[in-house]
Amino acid sequence: MVLSFLVAAVIAFPREGQRLPFLERCYVSGAVAPGTTNVLVQGRNVAVHPLGGWVTMADVVAGTNVLDVAGVRRTFVVGKRPAPTATSGVAPKPPAKVYAKLPYAGDAPKPRPCGKPPSEITVVLDAGHGGAETGAMSPHNLKESDLNLALARNVRDALVARGYRVVMTREADVAVALYDRPKVAHAQGADAFVSIHHNAPAADRDPRTVRFHAVYAWNAIGEELARALNARLAAAFGASLPNRGVIHANFAVTRNPEIPSCLIETDFLTTPEGELDCWNRARRQKVASAIADGIADWCAADGNAGQTETP
């Protein structure tokens, strides 16, 4: 039993040899055989979910750290705390980043396709990450990139069933360059671009305290689409998942003044409970239907898309 436990143990974060910015604590998660309760991280016992997943916080120091999880060791490097300035005693803030629009995007926003039949409306779906870029990882090493693709396929099927023309930025577990993703929308003359993701907290945040859904957009035309999607997602999740609403974001896939674009973070898969929900096929289909309904609402001729948003 002990041998099988050690073989099953997985450290999802941090990765071997990974370099991290300065932090004092980081989360680690993993999986063991269901029923196992004696998981030790740095000599301390951690709680294990019945499905065999666990997550905990570990103290780290600047420099090289060796993390010991039940006999499985990982080494990673943490940066040093920035030196304070001589005058204020406070570390200087980095200069503000300047975010520009997509270089290949026009400046005139496309009108919402109100009144058009679905067959004349093109939606580009972007399954986030792919290939070596896995994105977030669940305690059982479920890759965000795989989950994004599975959900995007469900959304595609739901839209095609309604008669929409749908184009995917990727159809398999392959890498797609970040700025090539929204470029697909321009090449296809798309009416809307929706990037689908699942979330993970920052390295120094406890995943057990961070879980919600939200839709991110950069400008007014993106926010209009985002509100319609968020309203449907909020109704689908109900009280089971907090709703952060529509959030302004300077993401590469949203900085589009021409084509309405947004990014959906549907859930966090970094805790056993979040992972279990993300594995659930019936729930994933429900989420996909909500996204498809949101797009249909946005296309509606009455102009009321997203007016039922949940705060």
Side-chain angles (χ1 to χ4, degrees), residues 282-293:
R283 180 181 184 268
R284 188 169 69 233
Q285 186 58 62
K286 184 178 182 180
V287 173
S289 296
I291 294 172
D293 288 341

Side-chain angles (χ1 to χ4, degrees), residues 120-133:
E120 296 180 10
I121 298 173
T122 298
V123 178
V124 170
L125 297 178
D126 172 45
H129 305 288
E133 187 188 349

Side-chain angles (χ1 to χ4, degrees), residues 113-301:
C114 300
K116 283 187 177 181
S119 60
E120 296 180 10
I121 298 173
T122 298
V123 178
V124 170
L125 297 178
D126 172 45
H129 305 288
E133 187 188 349
T134 62
M137 298 287 282
S138 79
H140 286 87
N141 272 10
L142 170 62
K143 297 187 295 184
E144 181 198 348
S145 54
D146 289 344
L147 197 56
N148 294 342
L149 183 57
L151 179 55
R153 286 171 172 164
N154 288 152
V155 177
R156 174 199 62 196
D157 293 347
L159 288 172
V160 168
R162 290 164 166 80
Y164 291 91
R165 177 175 179 262
V166 180
V167 177
M168 303 273 283
T169 60
R170 66 180 178 97
E171 295 275 6
D173 185 21
V174 295
V176 180
L178 180 60
Y179 283 92
D180 286 345
R181 295 171 182 268
K183 187 178 285 187
V184 173
H186 289 278
Q188 296 292 331
D191 296 281
F193 175 93
V194 178
S195 188
I196 294 174
H197 286 253
H198 292 73
N199 219 337
D204 58 352
R205 295 288 302 277
D206 188 338
R208 294 166 295 191
T209 65
V210 185
R211 191 179 173 200
F212 58 84
H213 71 90
V215 187
Y216 298 79
W218 182 65
N219 57 8
I221 58 173
E223 288 172 356
E224 186 177 44
L225 173 60
R227 284 195 298 271
L229 291 166
N230 183 72
R232 287 289 188 168
L233 287 169
F237 287 125
S240 67
L241 190 63
N243 174 25
R244 289 285 181 88
V246 175
I247 301 174
H248 176 78
N250 290 306
F251 297 149
V253 294
T254 62
R255 294 197 297 273
N256 196 329
E258 184 178 4
I259 298 174
S261 304
C262 63
L263 182 147
I264 304 173
E265 292 283 9
T266 54
D267 199 348
F268 283 69
L269 69 157
T270 41
T271 62
E273 296 80 8
E275 177 188 34
L276 185 61
D277 280 344
C278 290
W279 272 115
N280 188 314
R281 291 187 178 183
R283 180 181 184 268
R284 188 169 69 233
Q285 186 58 62
K286 184 178 182 180
V287 173
S289 296
I291 294 172
D293 288 341
I295 292 172
D297 290 345
W298 175 76
C299 295

